[in-house]
Amino acid sequence: MTTKPLPLTPELHAYLVAHGSAPDEIVQELAEETRAALPAEAVMQVAPEQAAFLTFLTRLLGVRQAVEVGTFTGLSSLAIARGLAEDGRLTCFDISEEYTGVARRYWQRAGVQDRIELRIGPAAETLRELPRERYLDFAFIDADKVGYPIYWDELVPRMRPGAVIAVDNTLRDGRVLAPRNADDRAIAAFNDAVIADVRVEAVMLPIADGVTLARVL
């Protein structure tokens, strides 16, 4: 059976956002500041419906221990932290003091700064400092695309059975069908590796630029 994909026009996208958990004042101001201060990089910020989805998913899973790889100015981490259980903790990995400086301000404004630990440095190295046991409930990967397989291999053995890994940008604006650059090729290869990984069951969703959800077995 085949189905026709729904064309997501700007008007329909606005309707979709308005009829979910709409962005509050803090989220709106964070998104606006990111676009104004970092116009060339703002594309790295998650979409508003993604932020709402991350909060919803984190709450649904009852997450207490979470990891984020790639924090940028903090919208996704803010969304995850808001969905954590009362005693929950989020460990964020990023390489930029500049971008995460914005994130810190908004975490404080939202009252979630005590739930978040930020570690600055190459995630390929800093992830290895995490405990080796299977204790993580949730992970979100949204960093350099070539590094995805490294982050995946560090995280999967640390996820408890039933935990979920969410991976952003797995459709690459459709270019996974005809990769044009190294990042496109890296994601296309990563997607093939995930679906072949017997440690997880995965589904790809057409949210924003594509989000893969993998449940660890």
Side-chain angles (χ1 to χ4, degrees):
M1 183 179 72
T2 60
T3 58
K4 181 180 179 181
L6 182 68
L8 194 60
T9 63
E11 294 79 12
L12 188 56
H13 179 257
Y15 182 89
L16 179 153
V17 172
H19 287 78
S21 297
D24 65 7
E25 180 180 342
I26 293 175
V27 168
Q28 289 176 339
E29 291 183 12
L30 171 54
E32 289 167 5
E33 178 175 340
T34 301
R35 287 193 295 267
L38 301 163
E41 296 84 4
V43 68
M44 295 192 294
Q45 185 169 245
V46 297
E49 68 271 23
Q50 270 182 294
F53 178 71
L54 287 170
T55 301
F56 182 89
L57 182 61
T58 306
R59 283 201 183 113
L60 185 67
L61 295 170
V63 173
R64 285 182 165 77
Q65 293 288 340
V67 161
E68 175 184 73
V69 184
T71 296
F72 190 41
T73 57
L75 182 51
S76 54
S77 52
L78 172 59
I80 294 167
R82 282 177 159 177
L84 291 172
E86 187 174 343
D87 57 347
R89 297 286 299 171
L90 169 63
T91 304
C92 293
F93 296 85
D94 203 280
I95 58 171
S96 174
E97 292 278 10
E98 177 190 1
Y99 298 158
T100 57
V102 179
R104 288 181 188 273
R105 287 194 283 108
Y106 282 90
W107 295 341
Q108 186 168 12
R109 282 189 57 188
V112 298
Q113 73 276 11
D114 59 335
R115 305 179 189 179
I116 302 174
E117 177 190 355
L118 175 62
R119 301 189 187 185
I120 298 294
E125 300 172 10
T126 51
L127 279 170
R128 297 187 184 118
E129 299 170 2
L130 292 172
R132 293 285 179 177
E133 62 264 25
R134 301 183 69 178
Y135 75 104
L136 292 173
D137 302 305
F138 181 73
F140 181 54
I141 301 174
D142 185 17
D144 62 294
K145 309 314 168 193
V146 174
Y148 273 25
I150 299 171
Y151 310 143
W152 178 267
D153 286 340
E154 289 296 332
L155 286 169
V156 171
R158 292 173 165 89
M159 310 298 296
R160 65 166 179 78
V164 170
I165 302 176
V167 187
D168 199 17
N169 303 119
T170 50
L171 289 178
R172 294 291 294 168
D173 199 28
R175 295 192 303 275
V176 287
L177 297 178
R180 300 177 190 172
N181 55 43
D183 284 348
D184 296 345
R185 290 189 290 273
I187 290 298
F190 173 78
N191 290 340
D192 290 342
V194 168
I195 206 66
D197 194 330
V198 297
R199 299 172 297 176
V200 304
E201 55 182 1
V203 61
M204 188 180 292
L205 303 176
I207 299 173
D209 193 29
V211 175
T212 293
L213 297 181
R215 177 179 173 270
V216 179
L217 302 176

